Amino acid sequence: MTDLDPIRWMREFASLVDENADRLTELDAAIGDADHGSNMRRGTAAVVAAFDEAAPTDPAAALKQAGMVLIRSVGGASGPLYGTFFLRAAAACGENALGTADFAKVFRAGLDGVVARGKAEAGDKTMFDALAPAADALDEGLTAGADLGDALDAAVAAAEAGCAATIPMQARKGRASYLGERSVGHQDPGATSAVLLVRAARGAVR
Ligand code: ADP
Ligand code: MG
């Protein structure tokens, strides 16, 4: 029986964001305001600091705390969006560790939160375009009876493909949408950090 530890998920996310912060900022420099890497690094580091200060007692508490800290510490669109992802994920999360069925449900709830907050649809060139295919892959894995690690391998591949697919898109949401046609030909920074979120989940399976 494999499951996923949300605290490890957040720690892994923070470390991947830290490693990739320059890349995220470069992508945001092309179609935004060059702060996505620093926004995400500040937010995820604050989550890790909060966990270090007082370890959350259960998965739902960890995800809730992550969401609140991200909303509080990240200026910019991505803070409230990722923050809402984790708050909604927390609300869908029980007291126990997350198996495949639970994680698919929790991740889907997070995605629904992003949509409720930002109203993005497929093809708008946002984090949605990486998160939604990952949620679908998790659901498929669940239906097929896959183990959580395998379902997450598929989710990582789906998120990567969804992220790459943002390159030819014209942005319809967020700062990049102000560029109109000039947003075409660049990978979306938020879709890129969303791949890290899914990759981090894969790394948190035990
Ligand atoms: P800001 O745009 O305020 O500078 P960031 O640079 O941190 O914030 O984040 C930009 C990313 O946020 C974009 O690349 C995009 O993926 C995501 N984003 C922006 N608006 C939305 C939205 N309405 N729904 C979903 N994602 C969005
Ligand atoms: Mg920005």
Side-chain angles (χ1 to χ4, degrees):
M1 170 67 192
T2 49
D3 60 24
L4 183 145
D5 172 10
I7 297 185
R8 210 166 134 201
W9 182 20
M10 291 311 304
R11 289 187 181 279
E12 199 79 29
F13 186 37
S15 111
L16 287 175
V17 163
D18 187 57
E19 276 167 38
N20 291 278
D22 291 348
R23 163 96 177 122
L24 296 176
T25 285
E26 255 169 51
L27 292 170
D28 197 32
I31 57 169
D33 56 354
D35 65 357
H36 190 56
S38 50
N39 281 344
M40 294 303 296
R41 182 185 259 157
R42 185 170 57 252
T44 54
V47 170
V48 168
F51 287 178
D52 285 344
E53 206 165 293
T57 46
D58 62 72
L63 293 173
K64 187 174 175 193
Q65 189 172 25
M68 291 189 312
V69 171
L70 285 172
I71 290 173
R72 197 169 58 221
S73 61
V74 181
S78 58
L81 288 164
Y82 276 113
T84 305
F85 179 98
F86 287 109
L87 290 182
R88 294 290 189 93
C93 185
E95 285 179 3
N96 302 315
L98 301 166
T100 309
D102 312 309
F103 189 69
K105 191 181 70 180
V106 161
F107 194 91
R108 173 71 62 186
L111 172 65
D112 290 347
V114 169
V115 172
R117 181 101 204 186
K119 310 279 179 280
E121 293 172 20
D124 282 351
K125 196 181 182 99
T126 71
M127 60 177 72
F128 177 92
D129 292 306
L131 293 172
D136 292 344
L138 287 170
D139 285 344
E140 278 163 35
L142 177 63
T143 310
D147 136 294
L148 183 55
D150 293 338
L152 271 165
D153 282 338
V156 169
E160 285 171 351
C163 176
T166 64
I167 296 172
M169 291 174 186
Q170 178 171 331
R172 289 190 296 242
K173 286 283 179 318
R175 224 174 258 284
S177 66
Y178 309 156
L179 291 180
E181 281 176 14
R182 280 183 294 139
S183 65
V184 172
H186 302 278
Q187 185 170 303
D188 180 60
T192 309
S193 58
V195 171
L196 302 180
L197 180 69
V198 184
R199 223 183 267 158
R202 179 65 187 93
V205 172
R206 57 187 175 186

